[in-house]
Amino acid sequence: MSDRISVHITKETLRVANCYEHVSHVSAGGNAMFIGTVRNQTKGNEVLKLEFEAYTPMAIKELEKIAQAVIEKWDAIKVSIHHRVGTLRVGDIAVIISVSTPHRAASFEACQYAIDTLKETVPIWKKEIFRDGEVWVSAHP
Amino acid sequence: MSDRISVHITKETLRVANCYEHVSHVSAGGNAMFIGTVRNQTKGNEVLKLEFEAYTPMAIKELEKIAQAVIEKWDAIKVSIHHRVGTLRVGDIAVIISVSTPHRAASFEACQYAIDTLKETVPIWKKEIFRDGEVWVSAHP
Amino acid sequence: MKVKILAFGIAKDIVGGKSGEMDFTENATIAQVKEALTQQFPGFEELRKFSIAVNESYQEDDYVISEGDELVIIPPVSGG
Amino acid sequence: MKVKILAFGIAKDIVGGKSGEMDFTENATIAQVKEALTQQFPGFEELRKFSIAVNESYQEDDYVISEGDELVIIPPVSGG
């Protein structure tokens, strides 16, 4: 992958400053970021923690496809997608996507495309753990 | 202003981590950020530096209006808008906007509304300084 | 009546300073303020547009100024 | 032919483990793999959907598997 793309799946805490550094560029006019965090409830059920699992080699490939599409379709200068796995607590950051483009409208579109596509295609799964049970998110109709 | 809004105009270096901290919230499902930086050129002319000037008391009021609209129209949980003034170099961050919402689509829309409106209404001006002259951006048709 | 006027950005260059005073009749409107400014400083005609704020808010052309108002010339903004 | 199968997420719970082996005829397709899985583990019928990846890529129903392929069961993803 080119140095225009930074894709990571990690058990470590994600940091917005770190993800932004990967995309900042002197010819960028706009940088859009999306930060996905663990919410404290789902349909009124209190979430205690989340467990994220990835099929890592394929997840990396799918993330790279998304990043490549962002560069090609929106003329992005740089894009980084960092996803955390393992056990996350409420408020923890699960994913950070950062896109720099020459003009700002494209950065929003590209960033939104990236998170929307990630949630459809990238083999990562989360299990929500409640006080009285647990559930694999989105598994059932 | 409520603690859901953080608006700053400052001569200090802006930091994405700092701006994000203001909006992170346990009930947020999406956080969108926009980071505006100083580009190295305008229409092929090399930019040496930028000077930002604000009519500060009114700029704060206009930023607060934008933040309030974001909370009302997009049900945002928190919003922060930090703008730098003074002399900025290429690559420096001029503005950071951060919006947290219960659902992610709204965070992108709200963040884009905020930067688009900021660029239309907030009394802040930038002068681009080139090797052979300087120009107030957007002043002329 | 004498009214205080502040200028920012390119307006500062056009009027040749950060602040000044202008003389207006009672019940002058923003439209009249803009006209007087353009007459005295033709540089304003070359701008994409310019607005006037009174007491830290944009005011429309039909707004009537009062003694003690602080007028601020707002040339096209370019923050962000 | 024996083919190795990996399972993730809820698929792991449905098949009762992270990896296993299944027996298929030569030239079996992904459609047949899915059918066999659903027959052996009715839990797959309750899912919103599930896909099969071969060699780290999604494959369509008409893809023909070969000896040595590693099949991976991909239940509905939920990253982000």
Side-chain angles (χ1 to χ4, degrees), chain A residues 51-54 125 127 136, chain D residues 6-19 41 44 47 73-75:
Chain A
E51 271 165 26
F52 281 85
E53 179 182 328
W125 300 269
K127 187 161 68 173
W136 286 102
Chain D
L6 294 184
F8 284 91
I10 197 169
K12 218 171 40 183
D13 300 344
I14 292 173
V15 303
K18 245 185 134 161
S19 69
F41 307 103
F44 282 114
L47 295 186
I73 310 171
I74 312 276

Side-chain angles (χ1 to χ4, degrees), chain B residues 36 52-55 57-58 61-62 65 83 94-95 115 118-126 136-141, chain C residues 6-13 18 43 46-49 53 55-58 70 72-80:
Chain B
F52 280 85
E53 180 181 330
Y55 173 28
M58 180 170 163
K61 279 190 188 175
E62 292 292 326
K65 272 188 213 167
H83 203 298
V95 64
I115 181 65
L118 182 154
K119 283 173 178 274
E120 275 171 22
T121 65
V122 179
I124 298 178
W125 300 270
K126 62 178 166 234
W136 286 102
V137 177
S138 296
H140 296 106
Chain C
L6 294 184
F8 285 91
I10 197 168
K12 218 171 41 183
D13 300 344
K18 245 183 134 161
E46 288 157 36
L47 294 187
R48 195 155 56 78
K49 63 168 186 175
N55 305 324
E56 301 173 4
S57 291
Y58 288 107
E70 183 179 75
V72 179
I73 310 170
I74 312 275
V77 303
S78 52

Side-chain angles (χ1 to χ4, degrees), chain B residues 58-111:
Chain B
M58 180 170 163
I60 294 277
K61 279 190 188 175
E62 292 292 326
L63 289 175
E64 285 174 345
K65 272 188 213 167
I66 293 171
Q68 201 59 51
V70 160
I71 286 187
E72 283 163 20
K73 288 189 200 164
W74 285 276
D75 248 341
I77 298 166
K78 290 191 166 195
V79 52
S80 72
I81 311 179
H82 295 179
H83 203 298
R84 189 167 165 195
V85 290
T87 303
L88 274 74
R89 304 276 161 181
V90 170
D92 282 352
I93 297 175
V95 64
I96 309 181
I97 298 176
S98 195
V99 180
S100 60
T101 55
H103 300 288
R104 77 177 181 284
S107 71
F108 283 108
E109 268 187 37
C111 194

